[in-house]
Amino acid sequence: MSRIAYFGPQGTFTEQAARTLTVDDELLPVETIPAALAAVRKGEADAACVPVENSVEGPVTATLDGLAEQELLVAVAEALLPVHFTVLARTDGEPIRTVASHPHALAQVRQWLEVNLPDARPVAASSTAAAAVGVRQGEFDAAVTAPVAAEHYPLRVLATEVADVRDARTRFLLLKPPGELPEPTGADRTSIVAAAANRTGTLAELLTELATRGINLTRLDARPTKGNFGEYLFFMDFEGHISEPRIGDALAALRRRCSGLRFLGSHPRADQVAATIQPGAANDDFTGAVDWVAAVRRGELA
């Protein structure tokens, strides 16, 4: 049985995601995203489940920073969850003056709070579940939580299916130390973080390496390097698997252009969307071109 550390405590969306990504594994809640990653790096857990991006609030910067630093961890699977919240309140029926949650969650229910709890003051908590714990301990009057929190905390359910954006989703990664990668499926995602020189056209050059090979970019985020003001790391997700010739060719080109390139994994996409292949950019086109060059070098072709 494997141990899976996840961004807790019990009752977070990350717990729900971890449940979908593992079977009969022990789930280990920890207080922060860095703590989940550290548990794997220290050997205290076999994998970590953490959020990486939200369709409303964008990237989860703690995850991006954690993947760019320290020992390498790679993504082997992902989960995509709809984000509909449950609002839990104290059981004594007292007026609700404070409502707590993770900042990302509060941002996604701002309109609902203005309409339904106009007198309540929003308070940031380290996670949605930590907000529920705070309600239990009397620190807050209500909490915006993941639906699974109602299973763990005996609080009054004030509302369910709460969301300002009905189709909001969050993507989660299952991260492990480097090792055997998942097999390609035809509907895969590859992730990297690139450090490039701070000069005109650098990012355009990196993206061109993907575009000229017909590789579709699915996410691009920039995070500042900690040591040099004005210099950034570029986090990229794109369609395809590193085992494919076209992806391997692109990664080799990016490695030549970048001062640092970190491979963050190739794994099946949760939405099972197949890669878009442009004419002339199929894997057979790349292998055929290599074979042709080899034949020319052997003098077999004019």
Side-chain angles (χ1 to χ4, degrees):
M1 178 183 295
S2 298
R3 302 189 76 197
I4 311 299
Y6 70 90
F7 176 34
Q10 286 184 313
T12 58
F13 280 101
T14 313
E15 180 190 355
Q16 291 187 208
R19 289 182 180 184
T20 70
L21 291 171
T22 61
V23 178
D24 297 327
D25 290 324
E26 179 184 357
L27 298 183
L28 175 66
V30 296
E31 292 186 359
T32 65
I33 290 172
L37 303 181
V40 181
R41 289 172 171 138
K42 294 177 181 178
E44 299 169 354
D46 300 292
C49 183
V50 295
V52 66
E53 65 173 329
N54 175 264
S55 61
V56 177
E57 289 300 296
V60 180
T61 56
T63 296
L64 299 188
D65 291 345
L67 291 175
E69 302 167 351
Q70 303 180 49
E71 294 87 358
L72 178 64
L73 296 176
V74 296
V76 297
E78 67 178 33
L80 195 61
L81 294 187
V83 181
H84 296 158
F85 297 94
T86 294
V87 181
L88 302 178
R90 293 165 51 181
T91 58
D92 56 15
E94 289 295 314
I96 296 175
R97 298 183 178 85
T98 57
V99 56
S101 194
H102 188 276
H104 275 205
L106 291 173
Q108 293 178 72
V109 297
R110 186 180 296 112
Q111 297 175 21
W112 187 92
L113 292 175
E114 290 175 354
V115 172
N116 295 277
L117 296 173
D119 298 325
R121 176 172 58 88
V123 180
S126 60
S127 70
T128 56
V133 172
V135 175
R136 284 279 294 160
Q137 297 174 344
E139 299 175 25
F140 317 118
D141 299 319
V144 177
T145 71
V148 70
E151 300 178 16
H152 296 296
Y153 306 105
L155 297 168
R156 176 166 57 101
V157 177
L158 191 64
T160 60
E161 294 294 313
V162 174
D164 292 345
V165 179
R166 299 307 302 174
D167 59 350
R169 296 183 295 175
T170 296
R171 186 162 66 97
F172 299 83
L173 298 178
L174 186 67
L175 299 161
K176 291 184 176 181
E180 185 176 355
L181 296 173
E183 292 294 322
T185 66
D188 304 292
R189 192 190 315 273
T190 291
S191 303
I192 61 171
V193 56
N198 182 16
R199 58 177 173 78
T200 303
T202 293
L203 179 57
E205 291 173 359
L206 302 186
L207 297 180
T208 296
E209 298 293 357
L210 300 179
T212 57
R213 291 167 177 83
I215 297 171
N216 186 37
L217 187 73
T218 59
R219 182 176 66 93
L220 173 64
D221 292 303
R223 292 289 294 157
T225 60
K226 298 299 189 293
N228 296 304
F229 183 78
E231 294 188 1
Y232 290 83
L233 298 173
F234 298 107
F235 292 81
M236 301 182 193
D237 288 350
F238 44 86
E239 294 177 348
H241 192 283
I242 193 173
S243 65
E244 299 178 57
R246 65 193 187 96
I247 302 300
D249 193 62
L251 291 176
L254 289 171
R255 181 65 181 86
R256 291 194 299 269
R257 287 193 179 273
C258 296
S259 58
L261 185 69
R262 177 172 277 203
F263 173 72
L264 299 180
S266 289
H267 57 80
R269 291 178 57 158
D271 56 15
Q272 300 181 335
V273 174
T276 303
I277 307 296
Q278 299 179 6
N283 288 310
D284 288 345
D285 295 318
F286 280 87
T287 55
V290 171
D291 291 342
W292 180 85
V293 170
V296 171
R297 287 171 174 169
R298 293 192 301 267
E300 297 176 2
L301 293 176

